[in-house]
Amino acid sequence: MTYVVTVDICIPEGTPELDPLQRAGAVALVEDGLDAVRAVEGPDGAQVDVLDTIVAVHPGGALLKVVVDAPALEFAEGSVQVLVDELLERTEVLADWAIERCEVELHQDLARESLAAADGPDAPPDDLALRRARHTAGAPSAQNPGEGVDGAATKARAVRARMLELAAELRAFPPAVFGVEADDDRRAVPAESARLAAGALVHATDTLVDELFEDVQVLAQEDATVAECEGPLWHLERLPDRYALQYDARFGRRFLVTVIALTTRFTDGSFQHLSCVAEELALRFLLNEATTTLELHDLLDDHVSTALANLADALCVDTDHDRVHHPAALLPFTSWFTRFTEDSYAHPSTTDEPEAAPQ
């Protein structure tokens, strides 16, 4: 099965950030080292084939995406970690760099292939989000293959602590919006549940932006719309099917900018109301991403679910992600980026581009 393994490597702590010339040199070294490898021997002698690599160097290190064909997720992660470890060790100027993260990203289409072949009591769950959860949270790590459930529980506690810490960054919404001290007992939630919901939204923002960026890249590379695209997509294929021939790379870029602009207003405290249909859809994706992340780590209890539902209600957003029910979303596709009111916020990158083709 094909897996995309993401690896974060960082420069030594306390050293100056890389300048442009150093970054160019690091890209060349890492790319040359990875290009020289066609296969890696995984655990128990299993062969893991290296199909493709992408290298992006930044001032603090590099982000690698390594596409491999492996018999199991654990083999993919473990083999890529060994590969990158050896690359750093044998490259003198990179010898002090360290791996911060090495984990599989399982695209939905690839997950479906795995699901179709699985059966029996140990088969993965049918829901693709939970499947992804099992792969990214419940599987043993490359460093400690035997950690299993205990490792997942430890990671869940760490994620919970991180989400509670991130909650303060969601400055646009006070606890009352999530239902803290609500008059209706059915909608009231404890303060910590509201913080967990808020932190989950901040936590989910980075993931959503990264995955939408990948969607745009796939559409651009294929020069296709979502309806025509053969590659795996994270989110854009979950927009209403009736307009699938309209969702090209240009649309994807506008939608991505909309997500970034919306979540920036959430965190800097300037958010007043949703500005257009595209923002309504973006918020649904964000709520879905937050819910999925909470489910992955067994952090989604009734109180946290209610807190997220209270926020959705306050913003007048229908959280059904499969269909568009909100009256505003029934507007023509060409109006999705049109501001609801004169005082609605609109990022210049979404309004300056020409309108999409008519329905």
Side-chain angles (χ1 to χ4, degrees):
M1 182 174 176
T2 303
Y3 297 93
V4 180
V5 184
T6 297
V7 186
D8 281 318
I9 54 177
C10 62
I11 61 178
E13 187 175 351
T15 59
E17 291 187 340
L18 303 175
D19 61 33
L21 182 59
Q22 290 172 321
R23 295 201 292 272
V27 166
L29 290 170
V30 176
E31 285 183 341
D32 288 349
L34 293 176
D35 287 345
V37 179
R38 292 290 177 265
V40 184
E41 185 174 318
D44 300 325
Q47 178 170 307
V48 175
D49 296 322
V50 179
L51 306 179
D52 195 11
T53 59
I54 300 172
V55 180
V57 174
H58 52 82
L63 175 67
L64 318 179
K65 290 186 181 294
V66 184
V67 183
V68 298
D69 185 32
L73 179 145
E74 294 81 6
F75 292 169
E77 287 184 345
S79 298
V80 169
Q81 174 142 352
V82 169
L83 170 61
V84 177
D85 267 333
E86 291 181 352
L87 170 62
L88 298 179
E89 185 177 346
R90 69 172 181 261
T91 308
E92 184 177 353
V93 297
L94 303 177
D96 293 332
W97 289 34
I99 296 176
E100 280 194 336
R101 175 173 66 114
C102 180
E103 63 184 23
V104 159
E105 293 178 357
L106 192 65
H107 282 288
Q108 292 188 6
D109 284 1
L110 302 179
R112 289 189 183 99
E113 293 178 12
S114 178
L115 279 171
D119 197 5
D122 295 325
D126 290 337
D127 185 88
L128 289 176
L130 296 179
R131 166 78 172 187
R132 180 175 161 213
R134 178 167 173 171
H135 278 304
T136 57
S141 70
Q143 294 86 352
N144 184 7
E147 68 181 349
V149 175
D150 290 341
T154 299
K155 186 171 183 179
R157 288 193 292 271
V159 171
R160 179 186 181 87
R162 178 61 177 155
M163 287 183 179
L164 291 174
E165 180 184 345
L166 289 172
E169 296 185 16
L170 200 71
R171 297 178 178 87
F173 304 114
V177 176
F178 291 95
V180 176
E181 299 181 358
D183 294 334
D184 184 350
D185 289 341
R186 294 171 300 176
R187 309 295 290 178
V189 300
E192 184 165 304
S193 297
R195 287 176 57 210
L196 193 56
L201 289 168
V202 178
H203 188 278
T205 296
D206 286 343
T207 303
L208 179 60
V209 169
D210 286 347
E211 292 174 351
L212 282 171
F213 179 78
E214 291 185 23
D215 281 1
V216 173
Q217 292 295 98
V218 170
L219 294 178
Q221 289 168 4
E222 295 193 14
D223 190 21
T225 66
V226 166
E228 302 159 337
C229 184
E230 296 181 358
L233 298 170
W234 285 109
H235 297 285
L236 294 181
E237 66 180 2
R238 297 192 292 114
L239 289 168
D241 290 340
R242 63 189 296 191
Y243 299 125
L245 283 170
Q246 309 277 19
Y247 309 143
D248 56 11
R250 183 173 62 85
F251 166 82
R253 284 191 289 271
R254 296 179 76 187
F255 191 74
L256 175 59
V257 170
T258 297
V259 171
I260 294 171
L262 177 65
T263 54
T264 298
R265 282 150 52 216
F266 284 174
T267 54
D268 69 13
S270 63
F271 177 82
Q272 297 297 322
H273 55 80
L274 295 171
S275 297
C276 60
V277 172
E279 284 199 350
E280 290 185 338
L281 297 171
L283 181 57
R284 295 181 192 190
F285 281 169
L286 183 63
L287 288 166
N288 184 63
E289 191 69 44
T291 300
T292 298
T293 303
L294 289 162
E295 286 178 336
L296 285 225
H297 301 288
D298 199 24
L299 299 175
L300 189 69
D301 60 22
D302 290 343
H303 289 311
V304 178
S305 294
T306 300
L308 291 171
N310 287 341
L311 174 67
D313 288 347
L315 299 180
C316 301
V317 171
D318 184 342
T319 54
D320 186 334
H321 297 271
D322 297 321
R323 298 178 61 189
V324 177
H325 294 302
H326 193 280
L330 298 179
L331 291 170
F333 175 75
T334 52
S335 301
W336 279 15
F337 295 95
T338 302
R339 293 182 296 171
F340 289 146
T341 63
E342 286 297 321
D343 65 342
S344 295
Y345 177 84
H347 192 281
S349 294
T350 64
T351 57
D352 289 348
E353 293 190 21
E355 287 290 337
Q359 306 174 66

